[in-house]
Amino acid sequence: MIALAALDIAGTTVQEGGAVYRVLADVVADHGTPATDADLRRWMGADKREALAALTGDPASTEDLHDRFVQRLRSAYLRTPPVPVPGVPECLARLRAAGVKVALTTGFDRQVTDPLLAALGWRVGVEVDAVVCASEVAAGRPAPHMIARAMELTGVSDARQVLAAGDTVLDVLAGRAAGAGWVVAVLSGAQTREELVIEHPTHVLDDVTGIPALLGL
């Protein structure tokens, strides 16, 4: 039985039109170190500070670069507000009604995450049970720390009772590193089926709204 669903935010539970990666690319290019599409795709789903440091080769400027990233992403979200993936609010409610805890995990920090969730009307203890940002743990994906923290926050001790889902290769790798019983790749976000299946998720779904049926709920 699954006790916890640990779900990514951008591209998995929330549609934001790929703004995060456009802004990331712009910030990196403005630094004078433009990244290729292949470079950007390797960092999809990662802690954004880690991504900026790696893509620019300038760890000393990470905080300044991250501040620029946050400001530009907030502006992008004001122009085109993110919305839930269709059917996700009902999916989350169905999971929680069946006794499955729901935690959101993200490579964003609280500067982006809290206003984003507030705009969606998603509250801890009401629509979801926990939210974990990469900046709050020792390392972001592909490390398993966000999933482990979500387990701590929701009182789940057995990783085999965890379903981890996301739209990037790093989401799949983090789920596997955590020992999650179910590692679900979804096709609603940035990466393709061909990219995702290489890392051997246990399941591939069009989007997370298929999870209740997958669990027989």
Side-chain angles (χ1 to χ4, degrees):
M1 175 61 186
I2 293 298
L4 169 65
L7 312 175
D8 173 51
I9 294 182
T12 301
T13 53
V14 176
Q15 291 180 334
E16 49 88 72
V20 58
Y21 298 114
R22 290 196 300 274
V23 171
L24 189 66
D26 288 346
V27 170
V28 171
D30 287 351
H31 179 268
T33 52
T36 66
D37 181 66
D39 289 334
L40 289 167
R41 296 185 81 77
R42 276 196 292 273
W43 288 94
M44 288 178 170
D47 180 308
K48 300 307 176 282
R49 286 182 174 84
E50 293 177 11
L52 287 163
L55 290 167
T56 62
D58 186 8
S61 299
T62 297
E63 287 306 316
D64 178 59
L65 292 166
H66 187 262
D67 286 345
R68 294 184 210 173
F69 168 78
V70 168
Q71 291 167 7
R72 294 187 187 187
L73 186 61
R74 282 179 169 175
S75 295
Y77 283 174
L78 285 172
R79 291 191 299 272
T80 307
V83 296
V85 169
V88 162
E90 295 81 3
C91 170
L92 302 185
R94 188 171 173 185
L95 289 170
R96 296 183 78 240
V100 178
K101 301 288 188 180
V102 174
L104 301 179
T105 64
T106 179
F108 297 147
D109 70 3
R110 290 286 174 177
Q111 291 174 281
V112 173
T113 303
D114 287 349
L116 173 59
L117 297 182
L120 295 171
W122 290 2
R123 298 155 293 176
V124 173
V126 182
E127 287 77 19
V128 299
D129 297 286
V131 177
V132 182
C133 297
S135 58
E136 298 165 351
V137 295
R141 306 177 186 118
H145 305 313
M146 284 197 288
I147 295 172
R149 179 59 177 156
M151 292 173 62
E152 291 175 6
L153 291 172
T154 57
V156 175
S157 58
D158 186 351
R160 293 171 297 180
Q161 294 183 312
V162 175
L163 180 151
D167 66 303
T168 70
V169 166
L170 294 187
D171 288 305
V172 174
L173 290 172
R176 291 183 58 203
W182 300 52
V183 180
V184 178
V186 296
L187 305 178
S188 53
Q191 296 191 300
T192 65
R193 178 186 292 271
E194 290 72 24
E195 289 174 303
L196 294 165
V197 297
I198 290 171
E199 301 302 339
H200 307 292
T202 60
H203 300 82
V204 179
L205 299 175
D206 288 340
D207 57 53
V208 293
T209 65
I211 288 175
L214 185 66
L215 298 180
L217 303 178

